[in-house]
Amino acid sequence: MATETVPAVLPAGVSAADFRAAMSELAALLGADDVLTEAADLAPYRKIMISESDDSHAPSATVLARTVEEVQAVVRICNRYRIPLWTISTGKNLGYGSAAPAERGQVILDLKQMNRIIEVDPVMCTALVEPGVTYQQLKDYLVENDIPLWLSCPAPSAIAGPVGNTLDRGVGYTPYGEHFMMQCGMEVVLADGDVLRTGMGGVENSNTWQAFKWGYGPYLDGIFTQSNYGICTKMGFWLMPQPPVYKPFAIRYEDDDDIHDIVETLRPLRLANVIPNAMVFANVMWEAAATMPRSRYYEGTGVTPDSALEQIKANHGIGAWNVYAALYGTQEQVDVNFAIIRGALEASGKGRLITEEEAGDTEPFAYRAKLMRGDMTLQEFGLYRWRGGGGSMWFAPVAVAKGSETINQMNLAKEILNKYGFDYVAEFVVGMRDMHHIVDLLFNRNDPAEMEAAHQCFGELLSEFGKRGYAVYRVNTGFMEEAAELYGPVKRRVDQVLKRALDPNGILAPGKSGIRI
Ligand SMILES: Cc1cc2nc3c(=O)[nH]c(=O)nc-3n(C[C@H](O)[C@H](O)[C@H](O)COP(=O)(O)OP(=O)(O)OC[C@H]3O[C@@H](n4cnc5c(N)ncnc54)[C@H](O)[C@@H]3O)c2cc1C
């Protein structure tokens, strides 16, 4: 760590002298190797995929803590110097801002070295982990210890982790796919350095911390997700017992407008738990993008022509919409539920059912089958070869699970994206009554005109959807203010009241979800 020179980037409102003094104290606490201020060391923390320059989200430093006590001491030092801290766990929030802070100059608190698996209880099927634990690490632990439990992970699985993903209210594809619903108990370092244990965690000698979510009195875990009220240093969550039989399947639909019938046919099966997992409806563009570069079918610029998409559908057996779902249980349970699903499809007169036996090892079925059992795969990173240039922003509005709503959202998203020359690369991830409509706005970050177009396009998506009562469940660090506005002034005021109460100096991740003191 160089303490003598003036740092390239400073946190807003902090003098160079104070910054250097704070870094010296942090180096004394953590060791000089765990306080990074040199450009070369900060390079991996600057790399973003969104439509804003790396500079506008550049951190001034990164500090790495190994223990809860170190995290407590870090916030106390930062409080004294008013240094803003942006916390990451495994730091792979790709397409939502990556590891970089919401605002230029914030110091990243990287918790990847806090990576202990504290407990996996094979009887209660629960886990308690530190923030740096990756899904791969946890998977290896389960395999090495012969524990028959399954994870639920997002598509970047291996390289991401349960704490960061759950804190941003991410999703996976198993029956445990709504990750925050399966979270149970947290340890949080508050801005004043106190340590809070949520749920049953504050009760002396309790053994129910990972068994009962709600504790007593106001339920607090939610306020530490997608927020900047504390730093999570431990998280508990539930794991799924490995079922005796696992049966993934796909359903192929031929027309864009079939999304209406897909939702109407499958919603009752999801609500009745006949289909128990967070199933996915992926469009042709998503399927193609995840598995091949666009240049194989189209060498031009702008929106991919329909003729190319028709060829892709014909050559690769991909539908306009492709449903991925799975059954879990005994052979008898799986057989009964599969027959119900087959019957519902026959009655609807649409959709071709594809079993694992038929699909074999072909992509994208193979990676979807892995995701729906919580296995590791990075196949979805293929999306970035589709257009090239490394730009990606997830536009993720929530839709109620009704056919008419999905048609509306599909048409609106397509119209706005196409107007700016971008493809509608989309999937719906199905919750119980809602669907996360996930659109990947893919663009070339090396082309200034495309960067600008992508930025305007994303802003228009947010505002036009907002006018119709649709809001995103999560957003990248470039648009947090706009997304927060959609949720109304009273929500914003309450967010701020909590912020002022819990972090009066506003040192924890200012700007996260649009929240500041
Ligand atoms: C191809 C591709 C596919 C993807 N698919 C999915 C998907 O299926 N589902 C999905 O949910 N996401 C998906 N993502 C988005 C993202 O990569 C994942 O959500 C990933 O899990 C987030 O990164 P992380 O787990 O390393 O969390 P982190 O980056 O460590 O954390 C995420 C955010 O949470 C906050 N935070 C982190 N740690 C703490 C802490 N200890 N205390 C307080 N706040 C904290 C910070 O604001 C941080 O920015 C995808 C991305 C790509 C590129």
Side-chain angles (χ1 to χ4, degrees), residues 87 89-93 154-155 161 165 167 170-171 173 232 384 474 512:
T87 304
S89 288
T90 42
K92 298 294 187 298
N93 216 4
N165 182 274
L167 288 173
V171 296
Y173 304 93
C232 177
Y384 303 123
R474 181 178 177 190
K512 173 81 184 179

Side-chain angles (χ1 to χ4, degrees), residues 4-334:
E4 300 312 318
T5 50
V6 176
V9 180
L10 277 173
V14 176
S15 70
D18 274 359
F19 182 77
R20 280 198 296 266
M23 291 303 123
S24 294
E25 286 193 36
L26 288 166
L29 170 75
L30 304 168
D33 288 348
D34 285 333
V35 177
L36 314 178
T37 53
E38 298 291 341
D41 295 330
L42 294 177
Y45 296 96
R46 286 173 50 102
K47 203 171 166 355
I48 54 178
M49 305 177 81
I50 65 176
S51 60
E52 293 185 335
S53 70
D54 291 5
D55 268 351
S56 57
H57 293 273
S60 52
T62 294
V63 299
L64 295 101
R66 289 169 197 269
T67 64
V68 181
E69 293 73 22
E70 284 185 355
V71 174
Q72 292 177 275
V74 166
V75 294
R76 289 188 176 122
I77 292 170
C78 290
N79 245 316
R80 266 194 286 116
Y81 290 98
R82 306 288 194 266
I83 302 268
L85 277 174
W86 180 264
T87 304
I88 57 171
S89 288
T90 42
K92 298 294 187 298
N93 216 4
L94 311 170
Y96 288 114
S98 305
E103 291 168 359
R104 179 178 160 84
Q106 296 179 356
V107 171
I108 294 175
L109 174 59
D110 184 347
L111 299 182
K112 71 166 171 262
Q113 296 183 145
M114 288 180 72
N115 63 354
R116 284 183 311 142
I117 297 169
I118 296 162
E119 189 183 19
V120 172
D121 182 336
V123 177
M124 296 314 299
C125 309
T126 61
L128 180 67
V129 303
E130 289 187 334
V133 169
T134 61
Y135 287 109
Q136 181 72 62
Q137 191 186 339
L138 203 44
K139 176 83 189 169
D140 291 347
Y141 179 91
L142 296 176
V143 171
E144 279 159 21
N145 292 283
D146 207 13
I147 300 174
L149 295 175
W150 281 8
L151 304 176
S152 176
C153 36
S157 56
I159 59 173
V163 175
N165 182 274
T166 306
L167 288 173
D168 231 21
R169 298 207 290 266
V171 296
Y173 304 93
T174 71
Y176 286 37
E178 179 63 273
H179 293 159
F180 182 51
M181 223 182 261
M182 299 301 162
Q183 176 269 341
C184 193
M186 259 186 221
E187 180 183 86
V188 182
V189 174
L190 301 172
D192 62 5
D194 271 359
V195 176
L196 166 74
R197 289 192 170 186
T198 65
M200 305 303 287
V203 178
E204 215 171 326
N205 299 322
S206 163
N207 62 2
T208 50
W209 194 21
Q210 271 62 68
F212 182 62
K213 281 165 76 85
W214 317 120
Y216 173 74
Y219 170 72
L220 295 179
D221 296 52
I223 68 164
F224 296 107
T225 65
Q226 287 192 3
S227 76
N228 48 16
Y229 300 150
I231 296 170
C232 177
T233 45
K234 289 185 185 66
M235 184 183 283
F237 54 99
W238 297 337
L239 299 170
M240 176 178 162
Q242 179 181 326
V245 175
Y246 168 62
K247 186 178 178 66
F249 59 93
I251 315 170
R252 189 176 304 151
Y253 288 83
E254 293 312 320
D255 299 314
D256 286 354
D257 286 354
D258 285 344
I259 188 67
H260 179 279
D261 290 16
I262 297 172
V263 178
E264 293 304 315
T265 306
L266 298 183
R267 182 192 53 242
L269 302 179
R270 177 76 182 98
L271 280 171
N273 229 15
V274 172
I275 296 176
N277 72 315
M279 64 181 149
V280 168
F281 313 152
N283 81 345
V284 55
M285 203 88 82
W286 186 294
E287 298 291 80
T291 48
M292 67 188 86
R294 171 163 98 151
S295 54
R296 203 183 290 176
Y297 285 89
Y298 176 59
E299 296 275 9
T301 55
V303 180
T304 310
D306 285 347
S307 55
L309 296 179
E310 288 309 318
Q311 255 189 317
I312 290 171
K313 280 157 74 177
N315 293 355
H316 299 275
I318 295 175
W321 287 102
N322 305 273
V323 174
Y324 295 97
L327 300 176
Y328 311 75
T330 63
Q331 191 65 57
E332 292 87 335
Q333 288 173 310
V334 165

Side-chain angles (χ1 to χ4, degrees), residues 247-253 280 287 321-326 338 341 345 351-356 358-359 364-365 368 372:
K247 186 178 178 66
F249 59 93
I251 315 170
R252 189 176 304 151
Y253 288 83
V280 168
E287 298 291 80
W321 287 102
N322 305 273
V323 174
Y324 295 97
F338 198 64
I341 293 161
L345 290 181
R352 193 168 95 68
L353 203 48
I354 299 159
T355 60
E356 193 171 25
E358 199 181 328
F365 188 97
R368 292 289 186 182
M372 292 188 293

